[in-house]
Amino acid sequence: MDALTLHRIHFAFTVTYHYLFPQLTMGLALLIVVIKTLALLVRKQELSRQYDTSARFWGKLFAINFLLGVVTGIPMEFQFGTNWSEFSRRAGGVIGMPLAMEGVFSFFLESAFLGLFLFGEKRLSRRIHWLSAFLVFLGSWISGYFIIVTNAFMQHPVGYRLLSNGLFEVASFRELLLNPWAVLEYSHNMCAAVVTASFFMSAVGALYLLQRRHGPYGHTFLKIGVIAGMISCTAQVFPTGDLHGKYMAKNQPTAIAAMEGLFHTEKGAGMVLLGQPNYDTQTIDNPLVVNDILSFLIYGTTSAEVQGLDRFPKDQWPSTLPLLFYSYHIMVGLGTWFGALMALAILLLWRGTLCSNKWILWAILLSWPLPYIATTAGWMTAEIGRQPWIVYGLLRTSQGASSHVTASNSLFTLLGFLGLYSVLSLLWVILVYNQVQSGPCVTETEQMPTVTA
């Protein structure tokens, strides 16, 4: 493989691995605030203590994932200067600002208040401790937004000025920050983060109920996870997914055509549920198609014309087109499963049989890794769909790579990262397993503080 291909594989691996951790922490940050809020609102002291203990338990899992997210995030940003130095040189005047602001909110706001949340419970009033949890949530979500702003500039560049020397600089920070692509992508992404955290929390609750231990906490985790999961799964599809898809169809029509396997422009275009894209014949093999649905979803009418790949030069088609097609369909398929499973769980919760139905408990427990796969497939869809551009319409990926980093050097560091991250994966499994197995037990050192609000 040439150096460019290895640079792309290298960055794809590090960013995919890194995002396994922030998606859980951002989702858990919101759910921890919900639990702490319930602890303040309920009048029964015993139930309030139970919620506080639950928040303490999830705070520890949050800290584990936050730590590994920081460790894996720092090398990823250095790759902008190693593997993608030309991109950094030309676009650094734009992307440097949101990346710096992400660091401020992540390492200062989020980290500082996470310390207060984890170690200050006995020294803070209950309302101030709730505030520390809220500020951790706020820091993590603001941090996520600045990362999305950076990516949105690469997907849909706005608020920039191209200088005579070929460099980009910020022309309007307001336009850059309020990029419509960033707002839609952020909404969709954060719903996905809550889906991940909801499935993780409900899976732990299901595990406790199946093992017949930590019963009250199992009920609490399962109910909060299922309710949050149903809300986030719904919002993931509509309005966030729907609006983002329509905006992408307007601004990246080649990506939409490739995602749907639409080689030829059609009026009343159908949606391919299953099939295999054949790049040579420019057809879908063994297709299972729902007629007219794609036109309706994008334009609101079944007779609308949807542009196919034949309307664009081949050098502007997304690279690795089959991988883009499969990634998109994996994301949509798993999203459908998530919505169906959470809807069934909500129905059983309403009927009062959720916590005693072993089939649904097993389904929830075994589904906890699936949001990670769906989120990874979603990001692959977005990033492969942008190709062959590193800044859409302005700078090709081949123009952004480091010309002085050879293929052998890139391969050597990639193998090093593979080894290091294998160790980190083992560490994560051990830490999370031990924390889940220990459970939300109350010890003498974990008693509620006596400080009043």
Side-chain angles (χ1 to χ4, degrees):
M1 288 184 287
D2 60 6
L4 175 61
T5 302
L6 281 167
H7 291 336
R8 294 179 64 186
I9 293 174
H10 199 324
F11 193 80
F13 169 72
T14 52
V15 73
T16 299
Y17 186 87
H18 163 70
Y19 194 65
L20 296 175
F21 306 107
Q23 64 177 296
L24 181 59
T25 57
M26 290 186 296
L28 276 183
L30 176 61
L31 297 186
I32 289 172
V33 171
V34 170
I35 295 173
K36 290 295 293 184
T37 302
L38 292 173
L40 286 177
L41 294 179
V42 297
R43 295 183 178 181
K44 292 184 179 179
Q45 188 177 19
E46 182 180 352
L47 187 56
S48 179
R49 286 174 179 264
Q50 180 181 318
Y51 283 130
D52 276 320
T53 304
S54 299
R56 205 175 305 128
F57 169 78
W58 287 106
K60 294 175 182 178
L61 287 170
F62 178 98
I64 293 170
N65 283 272
F66 178 77
L67 173 63
L68 291 179
V70 171
V71 169
T72 56
I74 295 174
M76 184 189 69
E77 294 195 0
F78 279 123
Q79 282 188 276
F80 285 123
T82 55
N83 301 60
W84 302 99
S85 60
E86 186 61 22
F87 166 65
S88 298
R89 187 184 72 85
R90 296 184 62 177
V94 176
I95 67 170
M97 189 177 296
L99 286 176
M101 296 182 74
E102 185 274 335
V104 170
F105 282 99
S106 176
F107 288 104
F108 290 94
L109 179 62
E110 189 178 359
S111 302
F113 286 102
L114 177 60
L116 286 178
F117 177 76
L118 293 175
F119 305 110
E121 189 173 7
K122 284 193 172 186
R123 296 171 176 81
L124 302 173
S125 70
R126 298 191 69 196
R127 285 189 173 88
I128 296 300
H129 193 250
W130 173 90
L131 181 61
S132 68
F134 178 78
L135 290 173
V136 169
F137 153 72
L138 186 64
S140 66
W141 280 48
I142 294 177
S143 172
Y145 185 73
F146 284 116
I147 289 293
I148 295 294
V149 166
T150 305
N151 183 262
F153 173 76
M154 299 165 67
Q155 299 280 0
H156 179 58
V158 297
Y160 70 94
R161 181 186 299 111
L162 181 60
L163 303 179
S164 58
N165 58 4
L167 304 184
F168 298 94
E169 71 173 13
V170 176
S172 171
F173 184 64
R174 179 179 177 276
E175 287 185 23
L176 177 67
L177 196 62
L178 299 180
N179 187 341
W181 191 289
V183 174
L184 294 171
E185 183 180 352
Y186 177 74
S187 303
H188 193 58
N189 183 79
M190 301 315 285
C191 285
V194 178
V195 169
T196 300
S198 300
F199 269 77
F200 195 91
M201 182 175 288
S202 58
V204 173
L207 175 66
Y208 288 160
L209 292 174
L210 289 169
Q211 292 180 336
R212 299 180 182 274
R213 64 191 187 98
H214 306 301
Y217 296 100
H219 284 77
T220 299
F221 299 163
L222 183 62
K223 290 178 181 178
I224 293 177
V226 163
I227 293 171
M230 185 70 253
I231 295 172
S232 56
C233 285
T234 303
Q236 184 77 351
V237 178
F238 185 85
T240 65
D242 177 65
L243 292 175
H244 190 34
K246 289 177 178 177
Y247 198 78
M248 179 181 288
K250 180 180 178 181
N251 294 280
Q252 287 189 10
T254 52
I256 286 291
M259 287 159 53
E260 298 289 351
L262 189 66
F263 289 97
H264 305 286
T265 301
E266 292 183 26
K267 286 187 176 181
M271 174 175 283
V272 179
L273 300 182
L274 293 173
Q276 301 86 44
N278 190 321
Y279 190 88
D280 296 326
T281 62
Q282 297 186 14
T283 58
I284 300 294
D285 296 336
N286 308 309
L288 177 61
V289 183
V290 181
N291 294 329
D292 304 330
I293 291 297
L294 183 59
S295 292
F296 178 77
L297 289 176
I298 295 177
Y299 298 108
T301 172
T302 57
S303 60
E305 180 181 271
V306 181
Q307 291 180 308
L309 289 170
D310 59 344
R311 288 285 181 89
F312 308 96
K314 277 195 173 183
D315 65 350
Q316 295 184 18
W317 290 15
S319 56
T320 57
L321 192 147
L323 181 59
L324 172 59
F325 177 87
Y326 292 127
S327 297
Y328 171 70
H329 283 76
I330 289 171
M331 176 190 69
V332 172
L334 288 177
T336 304
W337 166 250
F338 298 156
L341 180 60
M342 288 293 109
L344 177 59
I346 285 290
L347 176 63
L348 295 177
L349 177 62
W350 176 70
R351 296 179 62 180
T353 59
L354 173 64
C355 296
S356 59
N357 190 310
K358 289 188 177 181
W359 290 105
I360 194 71
L361 293 179
W362 274 109
I364 291 173
L365 176 60
L366 295 176
S367 294
W368 77 265
L370 299 182
Y372 289 97
I373 298 174
T375 304
T376 300
W379 272 110
M380 289 176 64
T381 299
E383 298 306 292
I384 297 173
R386 189 186 68 239
Q387 299 301 321
W389 307 97
I390 194 169
V391 179
Y392 192 79
L394 299 175
L395 185 67
R396 285 182 173 265
T397 303
S398 57
Q399 297 173 312
S402 300
S403 58
H404 299 294
V405 178
T406 63
S408 58
N409 286 334
S410 186
L411 178 61
F412 177 78
T413 54
L414 174 59
L415 293 174
F417 273 102
L418 285 168
L420 176 61
Y421 284 3
S422 296
V423 175
L424 290 178
S425 299
L426 182 61
L427 176 64
W428 182 86
V429 169
I430 293 172
L431 291 174
V432 171
Y433 175 81
N434 288 338
Q435 180 62 27
V436 172
Q437 283 299 106
S438 298
C441 300
V442 180
T443 64
E444 291 183 2
T445 59
E446 290 180 318
Q447 295 298 323
M448 289 298 300
T450 56
V451 181
T452 57

